[in-house]
Amino acid sequence: QVQLVESGGALVQPGGSLRLSCAASGNIVSIYAMGWYRQAPEKQRELVARITSGGDTNYVDSVKGRFTISRAKAKNTVYLQMNNLKPEDAAVYHCNTRSRHGADNWGQGTQVTVSS
């Protein structure tokens, strides 16, 4: 199994920035991709950004140009830089890993609140 620990969530004003971190431990050699999902109250969970072991990235359309996903050289830590935050970005953000065999692991989540 892979254990994930997230940090960085906070309350910020619209237009502000946050950087989320996700540290992976355990069977990290099996990780194919790491990403960030978010779930707002009474809304579906959605994939925000993902980075593969080869460095390819994907973003949901609503965050393109504002969010950037990256990873450390050791590939056991992934970051999500969030700029120009909007109220609709408010959600619980969960780190996710996917193994080469398609198995998912989830972090506990970190709260991002965007409010004036």
Side-chain angles (χ1 to χ4, degrees):
Q1 294 184 356
V2 175
Q3 182 177 347
L4 303 173
V5 179
E6 305 111 320
S7 63
L11 188 155
V12 297
Q13 296 182 1
S17 297
L18 286 174
R19 190 189 195 199
L20 306 183
S21 299
C22 175
S25 61
N27 191 21
I28 60 174
V29 69
S30 67
I31 297 175
Y32 169 74
M34 299 183 69
W36 291 92
Y37 287 74
R38 67 186 180 189
Q39 186 167 21
E42 301 183 13
K43 293 186 177 181
Q44 292 182 250
R45 178 183 291 179
E46 69 173 347
L47 176 63
V48 179
R50 189 186 72 147
I51 185 167
T52 70
S53 59
D56 295 326
T57 59
N58 292 284
Y59 301 90
V60 68
D61 286 345
S62 61
V63 309
K64 289 180 179 178
R66 300 188 297 119
F67 291 10
T68 303
I69 190 169
S70 62
R71 70 177 190 272
K73 291 182 179 180
K75 299 183 179 181
N76 61 347
T77 303
V78 67
Y79 306 96
L80 185 67
Q81 179 67 45
M82 305 186 294
N83 297 326
N84 192 24
L85 284 160
K86 302 177 179 180
E88 52 263 42
D89 295 319
V92 176
Y93 284 70
H94 292 267
C95 184
N96 164 267
T97 67
R98 179 160 293 176
S99 75
R100 297 180 179 90
H101 308 291
D104 286 335
N105 288 272
W106 296 91
Q108 79 284 358
T110 185
Q111 177 71 53
V112 172
T113 303
V114 186
S115 179
S116 299

